[in-house]
Amino acid sequence: MLKPLIYKENNLHVLDQRALPHQETWVCCNRATDVAKVIRDMVVRGAPAIGIAGAYGYVLGARAVLTGGGDVSPAGLDSVYRELAAARPTAVNLVWALDRMVARLEREAANSAEGRVAALLDEARAIDAEDLEANLRMSQAGVALISPGKSVLTHCNTGALATGGQGTALGVIRDAWAAGRIEQVFVDETRPWLQGARLTAWELQQESIPYRLICDGAAASVLATGDVGWVIVGADRVAANGDTANKIGTYSLAVLARHHGVGFMVVAPRATIDRSCPDGAAIEIEQRPAEEVRSLAGRLIAPVDAPVHNPSFDVTPAELIDVLVTEKGVLHRPDRAGVAGLFR
Ligand code: MRU
């Protein structure tokens, strides 16, 4: 199974998603600072993958503190935590994973410093493995909702590249294809960073799953044909009331899906649910550089100084979501009570 993050011999190897699909290159990180940079620069992206990278980054930070004879404790690693947590603001999985690392360190207080670092590596590996398990469970639950005979439409990249393996929304799609429940996949190119065109198309092609790449503006006309049964997307942060932040353009798809009577499915593990966030208005939306919109594949396409608005994510109100699939269960028309129930 494709893994974008491999920790071995005290280094985190990160598959460079900026170079895909035409080049497969790996970036080697041996400091927490390197990991913060690969997250910030989108060498690795996708909410669960960012969380897993952050956890391994915390391990690297702890190793450096150990080698320098410093204090391997949450306080001693505070600057490591803060640097990693600030790398990207919207995907809550990053802070979730770092908080889990801190909690493990607190539980290991009586252990030796070496033992504490070993425990942190164990925790990062557990976060990685549990994400794959959650994805496999969500895939099963999602497939069960899909009746055969129609296509699906997806946005951004939510596959193995974005997670600890298998994927969230793309995991459902992968298994729905294997189960004979979908005809083909419409893939939004996902401007400006083109996660759909570069990454989702690549993943689908590798598994010979039939797809059609469309420009984002074609989604309405594709849904109007009646050939699409579900729009299936992932999430970067789900608020306590079910409002969901995901890649810019997701909200438009939810509006279109409701208008055309097409189901709208969000697939996200509980690690993506932020119960401390009351609703979508409280979610911080990352603003990305203007160059991403002014250029295409490194070539300027707009006036060099064109003013740009480039939010990386938007928020889909819960009332437009037909189903939220998690590893702990499926919520139809998610709301505050339903989301709380997932944690009982
Ligand atoms: O900016 P990105 O590429 O990190 O955004 C990724 C998304 O919006 C995904 O849909 C989301 O993280 C879910 S990935 C399983």
Side-chain angles (χ1 to χ4, degrees), residues 42 44-50 88 91 155-159 162-163 167-169 193 195 199 233-236 245-248 250 267 269 286 288 312-313:
M42 292 177 67
V44 58
R45 32 66 50 204
I50 291 171
R88 287 194 78 192
H155 193 64
C156 197
N157 172 265
T158 59
T163 62
T168 56
W193 212 76
Q195 287 93 333
L199 308 177
V233 297
D236 281 78
N246 191 50
K247 182 51 55 194
I248 191 76
T250 302
V267 185
E286 176 183 9
R288 299 278 311 166
S312 196
F313 302 94

PDB file of all heavy atoms in Angstrom, residues 42 44-50 88 91 155-159 162-163 167-169 193 195 199 233-236 245-248 250 267 269 286 288 312-313, ligand 1:
ATOM      1  N   MET A  42       3.769  22.049   1.879  1.00  0.00           N
ATOM      2  CA  MET A  42       2.881  21.074   1.233  1.00  0.00           C
ATOM      3  C   MET A  42       3.638  19.983   0.481  1.00  0.00           C
ATOM      4  O   MET A  42       3.164  19.457  -0.520  1.00  0.00           O
ATOM      5  CB  MET A  42       1.846  21.771   0.350  1.00  0.00           C
ATOM      6  CG  MET A  42       0.862  22.553   1.223  1.00  0.00           C
ATOM      7  SD  MET A  42      -0.377  23.514   0.358  1.00  0.00           S
ATOM      8  CE  MET A  42      -1.385  22.261  -0.408  1.00  0.00           C
ATOM      9  N   VAL A  44       4.079  17.343   2.149  1.00  0.00           N
ATOM     10  CA  VAL A  44       3.036  16.429   2.617  1.00  0.00           C
ATOM     11  C   VAL A  44       1.811  17.281   2.905  1.00  0.00           C
ATOM     12  O   VAL A  44       1.924  18.393   3.414  1.00  0.00           O
ATOM     13  CB  VAL A  44       3.484  15.635   3.875  1.00  0.00           C
ATOM     14  CG1 VAL A  44       3.872  16.548   5.019  1.00  0.00           C
ATOM     15  CG2 VAL A  44       2.398  14.671   4.334  1.00  0.00           C
ATOM     16  N   ARG A  45       0.630  16.759   2.522  1.00  0.00           N
ATOM     17  CA  ARG A  45      -0.599  17.525   2.756  1.00  0.00           C
ATOM     18  C   ARG A  45      -1.728  16.515   2.936  1.00  0.00           C
ATOM     19  O   ARG A  45      -1.538  15.319   2.727  1.00  0.00           O
ATOM     20  CB  ARG A  45      -0.874  18.572   1.658  1.00  0.00           C
ATOM     21  CG  ARG A  45      -0.447  18.303   0.271  1.00  0.00           C
ATOM     22  CD  ARG A  45      -1.133  17.165  -0.423  1.00  0.00           C
ATOM     23  NE  ARG A  45      -2.588  17.264  -0.317  1.00  0.00           N
ATOM     24  CZ  ARG A  45      -3.406  16.260  -0.416  1.00  0.00           C
ATOM     25  NH1 ARG A  45      -2.947  15.028  -0.640  1.00  0.00           N
ATOM     26  NH2 ARG A  45      -4.710  16.414  -0.302  1.00  0.00           N
ATOM     27  N   GLY A  46      -2.899  17.042   3.280  1.00  0.00           N
ATOM     28  CA  GLY A  46      -4.013  16.158   3.629  1.00  0.00           C
ATOM     29  C   GLY A  46      -4.045  16.053   5.151  1.00  0.00           C
ATOM     30  O   GLY A  46      -3.010  15.761   5.772  1.00  0.00           O
ATOM     31  N   ALA A  47      -5.213  16.292   5.748  1.00  0.00           N
ATOM     32  CA  ALA A  47      -5.290  16.443   7.208  1.00  0.00           C
ATOM     33  C   ALA A  47      -4.680  15.273   7.989  1.00  0.00           C
ATOM     34  O   ALA A  47      -3.820  15.495   8.857  1.00  0.00           O
ATOM     35  CB  ALA A  47      -6.745  16.692   7.612  1.00  0.00           C
ATOM     36  N   PRO A  48      -5.073  14.018   7.711  1.00  0.00           N
ATOM     37  CA  PRO A  48      -4.496  12.940   8.532  1.00  0.00           C
ATOM     38  C   PRO A  48      -2.983  12.803   8.334  1.00  0.00           C
ATOM     39  O   PRO A  48      -2.239  12.584   9.303  1.00  0.00           O
ATOM     40  CB  PRO A  48      -5.235  11.687   8.038  1.00  0.00           C
ATOM     41  CG  PRO A  48      -6.516  12.219   7.468  1.00  0.00           C
ATOM     42  CD  PRO A  48      -6.144  13.523   6.829  1.00  0.00           C
ATOM     43  N   ALA A  49      -2.507  12.976   7.110  1.00  0.00           N
ATOM     44  CA  ALA A  49      -1.059  12.845   6.855  1.00  0.00           C
ATOM     45  C   ALA A  49      -0.284  13.956   7.571  1.00  0.00           C
ATOM     46  O   ALA A  49       0.816  13.729   8.091  1.00  0.00           O
ATOM     47  CB  ALA A  49      -0.778  12.876   5.350  1.00  0.00           C
ATOM     48  N   ILE A  50      -0.879  15.143   7.624  1.00  0.00           N
ATOM     49  CA  ILE A  50      -0.231  16.247   8.341  1.00  0.00           C
ATOM     50  C   ILE A  50      -0.114  15.890   9.836  1.00  0.00           C
ATOM     51  O   ILE A  50       0.909  16.145  10.478  1.00  0.00           O
ATOM     52  CB  ILE A  50      -1.042  17.554   8.157  1.00  0.00           C
ATOM     53  CG1 ILE A  50      -0.959  18.051   6.711  1.00  0.00           C
ATOM     54  CG2 ILE A  50      -0.543  18.641   9.109  1.00  0.00           C
ATOM     55  CD1 ILE A  50      -1.912  19.215   6.414  1.00  0.00           C
ATOM     56  N   ARG A  88       0.455  24.494   9.700  1.00  0.00           N
ATOM     57  CA  ARG A  88      -0.765  24.761   8.898  1.00  0.00           C
ATOM     58  C   ARG A  88      -1.933  24.867   9.879  1.00  0.00           C
ATOM     59  O   ARG A  88      -2.072  24.018  10.762  1.00  0.00           O
ATOM     60  CB  ARG A  88      -1.005  23.668   7.848  1.00  0.00           C
ATOM     61  CG  ARG A  88      -0.017  23.759   6.678  1.00  0.00           C
ATOM     62  CD  ARG A  88      -0.447  22.913   5.501  1.00  0.00           C
ATOM     63  NE  ARG A  88      -1.506  23.527   4.717  1.00  0.00           N
ATOM     64  CZ  ARG A  88      -2.190  22.875   3.781  1.00  0.00           C
ATOM     65  NH1 ARG A  88      -1.953  21.591   3.544  1.00  0.00           N
ATOM     66  NH2 ARG A  88      -3.126  23.489   3.089  1.00  0.00           N
ATOM     67  N   ALA A  91      -6.228  22.154   9.336  1.00  0.00           N
ATOM     68  CA  ALA A  91      -6.377  20.714   9.608  1.00  0.00           C
ATOM     69  C   ALA A  91      -6.160  20.453  11.096  1.00  0.00           C
ATOM     70  O   ALA A  91      -5.042  20.557  11.604  1.00  0.00           O
ATOM     71  CB  ALA A  91      -5.383  19.917   8.776  1.00  0.00           C
ATOM     72  N   HIS A 155     -13.398  15.664  -4.819  1.00  0.00           N
ATOM     73  CA  HIS A 155     -12.686  16.942  -4.853  1.00  0.00           C
ATOM     74  C   HIS A 155     -11.389  16.786  -4.069  1.00  0.00           C
ATOM     75  O   HIS A 155     -11.343  16.043  -3.091  1.00  0.00           O
ATOM     76  CB  HIS A 155     -13.576  18.004  -4.192  1.00  0.00           C
ATOM     77  CG  HIS A 155     -13.139  19.418  -4.399  1.00  0.00           C
ATOM     78  ND1 HIS A 155     -13.106  20.017  -5.644  1.00  0.00           N
ATOM     79  CD2 HIS A 155     -12.721  20.359  -3.524  1.00  0.00           C
ATOM     80  CE1 HIS A 155     -12.698  21.271  -5.515  1.00  0.00           C
ATOM     81  NE2 HIS A 155     -12.452  21.503  -4.243  1.00  0.00           N
ATOM     82  N   CYS A 156     -10.357  17.469  -4.500  1.00  0.00           N
ATOM     83  CA  CYS A 156      -9.059  17.456  -3.809  1.00  0.00           C
ATOM     84  C   CYS A 156      -8.457  16.044  -3.864  1.00  0.00           C
ATOM     85  O   CYS A 156      -8.816  15.236  -4.732  1.00  0.00           O
ATOM     86  CB  CYS A 156      -9.202  17.953  -2.369  1.00  0.00           C
ATOM     87  SG  CYS A 156      -7.621  18.425  -1.613  1.00  0.00           S
ATOM     88  N   ASN A 157      -7.548  15.755  -2.953  1.00  0.00           N
ATOM     89  CA  ASN A 157      -7.013  14.392  -2.846  1.00  0.00           C
ATOM     90  C   ASN A 157      -7.185  13.920  -1.417  1.00  0.00           C
ATOM     91  O   ASN A 157      -6.704  14.552  -0.478  1.00  0.00           O
ATOM     92  CB  ASN A 157      -5.533  14.315  -3.223  1.00  0.00           C
ATOM     93  CG  ASN A 157      -4.973  12.927  -2.897  1.00  0.00           C
ATOM     94  OD1 ASN A 157      -4.409  12.718  -1.835  1.00  0.00           O
ATOM     95  ND2 ASN A 157      -5.184  11.969  -3.771  1.00  0.00           N
ATOM     96  N   THR A 158      -7.873  12.802  -1.280  1.00  0.00           N
ATOM     97  CA  THR A 158      -8.177  12.245   0.039  1.00  0.00           C
ATOM     98  C   THR A 158      -7.736  10.792   0.095  1.00  0.00           C
ATOM     99  O   THR A 158      -8.294   9.996   0.843  1.00  0.00           O
ATOM    100  CB  THR A 158      -9.691  12.332   0.300  1.00  0.00           C
ATOM    101  OG1 THR A 158     -10.351  11.584  -0.753  1.00  0.00           O
ATOM    102  CG2 THR A 158     -10.203  13.755   0.283  1.00  0.00           C
ATOM    103  N   GLY A 159      -6.749  10.443  -0.711  1.00  0.00           N
ATOM    104  CA  GLY A 159      -6.362   9.046  -0.839  1.00  0.00           C
ATOM    105  C   GLY A 159      -5.228   8.658   0.092  1.00  0.00           C
ATOM    106  O   GLY A 159      -4.987   9.299   1.120  1.00  0.00           O
ATOM    107  N   ALA A 162      -2.855  11.281   1.327  1.00  0.00           N
ATOM    108  CA  ALA A 162      -3.306  12.275   2.300  1.00  0.00           C
ATOM    109  C   ALA A 162      -3.461  11.693   3.703  1.00  0.00           C
ATOM    110  O   ALA A 162      -3.899  12.397   4.613  1.00  0.00           O
ATOM    111  CB  ALA A 162      -4.643  12.863   1.839  1.00  0.00           C
ATOM    112  N   THR A 163      -3.122  10.409   3.868  1.00  0.00           N
ATOM    113  CA  THR A 163      -3.460   9.702   5.115  1.00  0.00           C
ATOM    114  C   THR A 163      -2.354   8.696   5.483  1.00  0.00           C
ATOM    115  O   THR A 163      -1.306   8.654   4.845  1.00  0.00           O
ATOM    116  CB  THR A 163      -4.775   8.908   4.920  1.00  0.00           C
ATOM    117  OG1 THR A 163      -4.570   7.928   3.886  1.00  0.00           O
ATOM    118  CG2 THR A 163      -5.929   9.810   4.521  1.00  0.00           C
ATOM    119  N   GLY A 167      -6.928   6.020   2.515  1.00  0.00           N
ATOM    120  CA  GLY A 167      -7.642   7.269   2.248  1.00  0.00           C
ATOM    121  C   GLY A 167      -8.991   7.319   2.928  1.00  0.00           C
ATOM    122  O   GLY A 167      -9.508   6.311   3.423  1.00  0.00           O
ATOM    123  N   THR A 168      -9.563   8.523   2.934  1.00  0.00           N
ATOM    124  CA  THR A 168     -10.879   8.723   3.547  1.00  0.00           C
ATOM    125  C   THR A 168     -11.944   8.625   2.438  1.00  0.00           C
ATOM    126  O   THR A 168     -12.426   7.536   2.127  1.00  0.00           O
ATOM    127  CB  THR A 168     -10.929  10.073   4.281  1.00  0.00           C
ATOM    128  OG1 THR A 168     -10.598  11.132   3.374  1.00  0.00           O
ATOM    129  CG2 THR A 168      -9.974  10.097   5.453  1.00  0.00           C
ATOM    130  N   ALA A 169     -12.259   9.753   1.798  1.00  0.00           N
ATOM    131  CA  ALA A 169     -13.251   9.719   0.708  1.00  0.00           C
ATOM    132  C   ALA A 169     -12.769   8.814  -0.429  1.00  0.00           C
ATOM    133  O   ALA A 169     -13.538   8.006  -0.971  1.00  0.00           O
ATOM    134  CB  ALA A 169     -13.490  11.141   0.193  1.00  0.00           C
ATOM    135  N   TRP A 193      -4.156  24.404  -6.361  1.00  0.00           N
ATOM    136  CA  TRP A 193      -2.968  23.560  -6.170  1.00  0.00           C
ATOM    137  C   TRP A 193      -3.054  22.264  -6.986  1.00  0.00           C
ATOM    138  O   TRP A 193      -2.118  21.519  -7.102  1.00  0.00           O
ATOM    139  CB  TRP A 193      -2.790  23.267  -4.669  1.00  0.00           C
ATOM    140  CG  TRP A 193      -1.370  23.113  -4.236  1.00  0.00           C
ATOM    141  CD1 TRP A 193      -0.450  24.095  -4.038  1.00  0.00           C
ATOM    142  CD2 TRP A 193      -0.700  21.877  -3.938  1.00  0.00           C
ATOM    143  NE1 TRP A 193       0.753  23.555  -3.621  1.00  0.00           N
ATOM    144  CE2 TRP A 193       0.625  22.191  -3.546  1.00  0.00           C
ATOM    145  CE3 TRP A 193      -1.084  20.535  -3.953  1.00  0.00           C
ATOM    146  CZ2 TRP A 193       1.565  21.227  -3.179  1.00  0.00           C
ATOM    147  CZ3 TRP A 193      -0.141  19.581  -3.583  1.00  0.00           C
ATOM    148  CH2 TRP A 193       1.163  19.930  -3.201  1.00  0.00           C
ATOM    149  N   GLN A 195      -4.725  19.362  -6.545  1.00  0.00           N
ATOM    150  CA  GLN A 195      -4.605  18.054  -5.877  1.00  0.00           C
ATOM    151  C   GLN A 195      -5.366  16.973  -6.644  1.00  0.00           C
ATOM    152  O   GLN A 195      -4.970  15.803  -6.652  1.00  0.00           O
ATOM    153  CB  GLN A 195      -5.173  18.131  -4.447  1.00  0.00           C
ATOM    154  CG  GLN A 195      -4.313  18.880  -3.456  1.00  0.00           C
ATOM    155  CD  GLN A 195      -4.686  20.349  -3.353  1.00  0.00           C
ATOM    156  OE1 GLN A 195      -5.207  20.928  -4.314  1.00  0.00           O
ATOM    157  NE2 GLN A 195      -4.409  20.975  -2.235  1.00  0.00           N
ATOM    158  N   LEU A 199      -2.853  14.429  -8.077  1.00  0.00           N
ATOM    159  CA  LEU A 199      -2.699  13.355  -7.083  1.00  0.00           C
ATOM    160  C   LEU A 199      -3.822  12.316  -7.151  1.00  0.00           C
ATOM    161  O   LEU A 199      -3.563  11.115  -7.178  1.00  0.00           O
ATOM    162  CB  LEU A 199      -2.630  13.970  -5.677  1.00  0.00           C
ATOM    163  CG  LEU A 199      -1.583  15.084  -5.499  1.00  0.00           C
ATOM    164  CD1 LEU A 199      -1.654  15.682  -4.098  1.00  0.00           C
ATOM    165  CD2 LEU A 199      -0.174  14.558  -5.786  1.00  0.00           C
ATOM    166  N   VAL A 233     -16.368  13.573  -0.276  1.00  0.00           N
ATOM    167  CA  VAL A 233     -15.211  14.424   0.042  1.00  0.00           C
ATOM    168  C   VAL A 233     -14.678  14.082   1.436  1.00  0.00           C
ATOM    169  O   VAL A 233     -15.339  13.402   2.219  1.00  0.00           O
ATOM    170  CB  VAL A 233     -15.592  15.929  -0.009  1.00  0.00           C
ATOM    171  CG1 VAL A 233     -16.032  16.348  -1.402  1.00  0.00           C
ATOM    172  CG2 VAL A 233     -16.674  16.248   1.024  1.00  0.00           C
ATOM    173  N   GLY A 234     -13.490  14.593   1.722  1.00  0.00           N
ATOM    174  CA  GLY A 234     -12.898  14.451   3.051  1.00  0.00           C
ATOM    175  C   GLY A 234     -13.143  15.714   3.863  1.00  0.00           C
ATOM    176  O   GLY A 234     -14.024  16.522   3.544  1.00  0.00           O
ATOM    177  N   ALA A 235     -12.350  15.895   4.916  1.00  0.00           N
ATOM    178  CA  ALA A 235     -12.510  17.077   5.772  1.00  0.00           C
ATOM    179  C   ALA A 235     -11.187  17.429   6.431  1.00  0.00           C
ATOM    180  O   ALA A 235     -10.354  16.555   6.668  1.00  0.00           O
ATOM    181  CB  ALA A 235     -13.559  16.811   6.848  1.00  0.00           C
ATOM    182  N   ASP A 236     -11.030  18.697   6.726  1.00  0.00           N
ATOM    183  CA  ASP A 236      -9.867  19.165   7.484  1.00  0.00           C
ATOM    184  C   ASP A 236     -10.223  19.488   8.924  1.00  0.00           C
ATOM    185  O   ASP A 236      -9.375  19.436   9.806  1.00  0.00           O
ATOM    186  CB  ASP A 236      -9.239  20.390   6.818  1.00  0.00           C
ATOM    187  CG  ASP A 236      -8.397  19.936   5.644  1.00  0.00           C
ATOM    188  OD1 ASP A 236      -8.992  19.628   4.588  1.00  0.00           O
ATOM    189  OD2 ASP A 236      -7.175  19.832   5.804  1.00  0.00           O
ATOM    190  N   ALA A 245     -15.002  22.063   7.422  1.00  0.00           N
ATOM    191  CA  ALA A 245     -14.029  22.753   6.570  1.00  0.00           C
ATOM    192  C   ALA A 245     -13.315  21.728   5.700  1.00  0.00           C
ATOM    193  O   ALA A 245     -12.863  20.691   6.190  1.00  0.00           O
ATOM    194  CB  ALA A 245     -13.006  23.496   7.426  1.00  0.00           C
ATOM    195  N   ASN A 246     -13.246  22.011   4.424  1.00  0.00           N
ATOM    196  CA  ASN A 246     -12.486  21.149   3.494  1.00  0.00           C
ATOM    197  C   ASN A 246     -11.989  22.037   2.360  1.00  0.00           C
ATOM    198  O   ASN A 246     -12.288  23.243   2.299  1.00  0.00           O
ATOM    199  CB  ASN A 246     -13.367  19.999   2.992  1.00  0.00           C
ATOM    200  CG  ASN A 246     -12.553  18.942   2.248  1.00  0.00           C
ATOM    201  OD1 ASN A 246     -11.531  18.482   2.751  1.00  0.00           O
ATOM    202  ND2 ASN A 246     -12.965  18.588   1.044  1.00  0.00           N
ATOM    203  N   LYS A 247     -11.255  21.432   1.460  1.00  0.00           N
ATOM    204  CA  LYS A 247     -10.617  22.174   0.363  1.00  0.00           C
ATOM    205  C   LYS A 247     -11.569  23.149  -0.319  1.00  0.00           C
ATOM    206  O   LYS A 247     -12.731  22.824  -0.574  1.00  0.00           O
ATOM    207  CB  LYS A 247     -10.077  21.150  -0.657  1.00  0.00           C
ATOM    208  CG  LYS A 247      -9.346  21.711  -1.848  1.00  0.00           C
ATOM    209  CD  LYS A 247      -8.256  22.693  -1.508  1.00  0.00           C
ATOM    210  CE  LYS A 247      -7.239  22.128  -0.550  1.00  0.00           C
ATOM    211  NZ  LYS A 247      -6.353  23.191   0.041  1.00  0.00           N
ATOM    212  N   ILE A 248     -11.059  24.322  -0.631  1.00  0.00           N
ATOM    213  CA  ILE A 248     -11.858  25.362  -1.256  1.00  0.00           C
ATOM    214  C   ILE A 248     -12.581  24.777  -2.486  1.00  0.00           C
ATOM    215  O   ILE A 248     -11.978  24.094  -3.315  1.00  0.00           O
ATOM    216  CB  ILE A 248     -10.976  26.582  -1.631  1.00  0.00           C
ATOM    217  CG1 ILE A 248     -11.814  27.777  -2.025  1.00  0.00           C
ATOM    218  CG2 ILE A 248      -9.935  26.253  -2.695  1.00  0.00           C
ATOM    219  CD1 ILE A 248     -12.452  28.477  -0.884  1.00  0.00           C
ATOM    220  N   THR A 250     -15.376  22.898  -1.936  1.00  0.00           N
ATOM    221  CA  THR A 250     -16.244  21.838  -1.395  1.00  0.00           C
ATOM    222  C   THR A 250     -17.648  22.375  -1.126  1.00  0.00           C
ATOM    223  O   THR A 250     -18.656  21.708  -1.416  1.00  0.00           O
ATOM    224  CB  THR A 250     -15.629  21.277  -0.091  1.00  0.00           C
ATOM    225  OG1 THR A 250     -14.319  20.791  -0.377  1.00  0.00           O
ATOM    226  CG2 THR A 250     -16.473  20.166   0.487  1.00  0.00           C
ATOM    227  N   VAL A 267     -16.326  12.043   4.549  1.00  0.00           N
ATOM    228  CA  VAL A 267     -15.684  10.884   5.184  1.00  0.00           C
ATOM    229  C   VAL A 267     -14.498  11.399   5.992  1.00  0.00           C
ATOM    230  O   VAL A 267     -13.558  11.969   5.423  1.00  0.00           O
ATOM    231  CB  VAL A 267     -15.207   9.868   4.116  1.00  0.00           C
ATOM    232  CG1 VAL A 267     -14.664   8.607   4.786  1.00  0.00           C
ATOM    233  CG2 VAL A 267     -16.327   9.531   3.138  1.00  0.00           C
ATOM    234  N   PRO A 269     -12.159  10.742   9.899  1.00  0.00           N
ATOM    235  CA  PRO A 269     -12.021  10.060  11.198  1.00  0.00           C
ATOM    236  C   PRO A 269     -12.327  11.012  12.345  1.00  0.00           C
ATOM    237  O   PRO A 269     -12.334  12.229  12.162  1.00  0.00           O
ATOM    238  CB  PRO A 269     -10.536   9.654  11.210  1.00  0.00           C
ATOM    239  CG  PRO A 269      -9.854  10.678  10.358  1.00  0.00           C
ATOM    240  CD  PRO A 269     -10.857  11.059   9.297  1.00  0.00           C
ATOM    241  N   GLU A 286      -6.984  28.867   6.394  1.00  0.00           N
ATOM    242  CA  GLU A 286      -5.640  29.216   5.918  1.00  0.00           C
ATOM    243  C   GLU A 286      -5.718  30.029   4.616  1.00  0.00           C
ATOM    244  O   GLU A 286      -6.448  29.655   3.700  1.00  0.00           O
ATOM    245  CB  GLU A 286      -4.872  27.908   5.656  1.00  0.00           C
ATOM    246  CG  GLU A 286      -3.494  28.089   5.059  1.00  0.00           C
ATOM    247  CD  GLU A 286      -2.823  26.741   4.754  1.00  0.00           C
ATOM    248  OE1 GLU A 286      -3.486  25.683   4.852  1.00  0.00           O
ATOM    249  OE2 GLU A 286      -1.635  26.768   4.410  1.00  0.00           O
ATOM    250  N   ARG A 288      -3.512  31.166   1.447  1.00  0.00           N
ATOM    251  CA  ARG A 288      -2.281  30.695   0.783  1.00  0.00           C
ATOM    252  C   ARG A 288      -1.727  31.820  -0.105  1.00  0.00           C
ATOM    253  O   ARG A 288      -2.432  32.781  -0.432  1.00  0.00           O
ATOM    254  CB  ARG A 288      -2.587  29.461  -0.075  1.00  0.00           C
ATOM    255  CG  ARG A 288      -3.129  28.258   0.678  1.00  0.00           C
ATOM    256  CD  ARG A 288      -2.090  27.409   1.355  1.00  0.00           C
ATOM    257  NE  ARG A 288      -0.983  27.044   0.507  1.00  0.00           N
ATOM    258  CZ  ARG A 288       0.153  26.530   0.967  1.00  0.00           C
ATOM    259  NH1 ARG A 288       0.307  26.325   2.278  1.00  0.00           N
ATOM    260  NH2 ARG A 288       1.114  26.218   0.144  1.00  0.00           N
ATOM    261  N   SER A 312      -7.607  28.642   1.382  1.00  0.00           N
ATOM    262  CA  SER A 312      -7.330  27.256   1.000  1.00  0.00           C
ATOM    263  C   SER A 312      -8.493  26.317   1.295  1.00  0.00           C
ATOM    264  O   SER A 312      -8.554  25.209   0.764  1.00  0.00           O
ATOM    265  CB  SER A 312      -6.077  26.784   1.746  1.00  0.00           C
ATOM    266  OG  SER A 312      -5.576  25.624   1.153  1.00  0.00           O
ATOM    267  N   PHE A 313      -9.407  26.768   2.157  1.00  0.00           N
ATOM    268  CA  PHE A 313     -10.525  25.908   2.565  1.00  0.00           C
ATOM    269  C   PHE A 313     -11.809  26.720   2.611  1.00  0.00           C
ATOM    270  O   PHE A 313     -11.763  27.955   2.681  1.00  0.00           O
ATOM    271  CB  PHE A 313     -10.257  25.318   3.968  1.00  0.00           C
ATOM    272  CG  PHE A 313      -8.968  24.530   4.014  1.00  0.00           C
ATOM    273  CD1 PHE A 313      -7.785  25.133   4.419  1.00  0.00           C
ATOM    274  CD2 PHE A 313      -8.926  23.208   3.614  1.00  0.00           C
ATOM    275  CE1 PHE A 313      -6.584  24.432   4.425  1.00  0.00           C
ATOM    276  CE2 PHE A 313      -7.727  22.494   3.609  1.00  0.00           C
ATOM    277  CZ  PHE A 313      -6.564  23.116   4.022  1.00  0.00           C
TER     278      PHE A 313
HETATM  279  O1  MRU B   1      -4.432  21.730   1.277  1.00  0.00           O
HETATM  280  P1  MRU B   1      -4.528  20.245   1.395  1.00  0.00           P
HETATM  281  O2  MRU B   1      -4.124  19.521   0.163  1.00  0.00           O
HETATM  282  O3  MRU B   1      -3.803  19.741   2.636  1.00  0.00           O
HETATM  283  O4  MRU B   1      -6.068  19.968   1.627  1.00  0.00           O
HETATM  284  C1  MRU B   1      -6.505  18.648   1.778  1.00  0.00           C
HETATM  285  C2  MRU B   1      -7.977  18.510   1.847  1.00  0.00           C
HETATM  286  O5  MRU B   1      -8.714  19.469   1.827  1.00  0.00           O
HETATM  287  C3  MRU B   1      -8.517  17.136   2.036  1.00  0.00           C
HETATM  288  O6  MRU B   1      -9.782  17.022   1.458  1.00  0.00           O
HETATM  289  C4  MRU B   1      -8.630  16.812   3.528  1.00  0.00           C
HETATM  290  O7  MRU B   1      -7.427  17.076   4.198  1.00  0.00           O
HETATM  291  C5  MRU B   1      -9.009  15.401   3.768  1.00  0.00           C
HETATM  292  S1  MRU B   1      -7.682  14.330   3.358  1.00  0.00           S
HETATM  293  C6  MRU B   1      -8.053  12.793   3.801  1.00  0.00           C
END
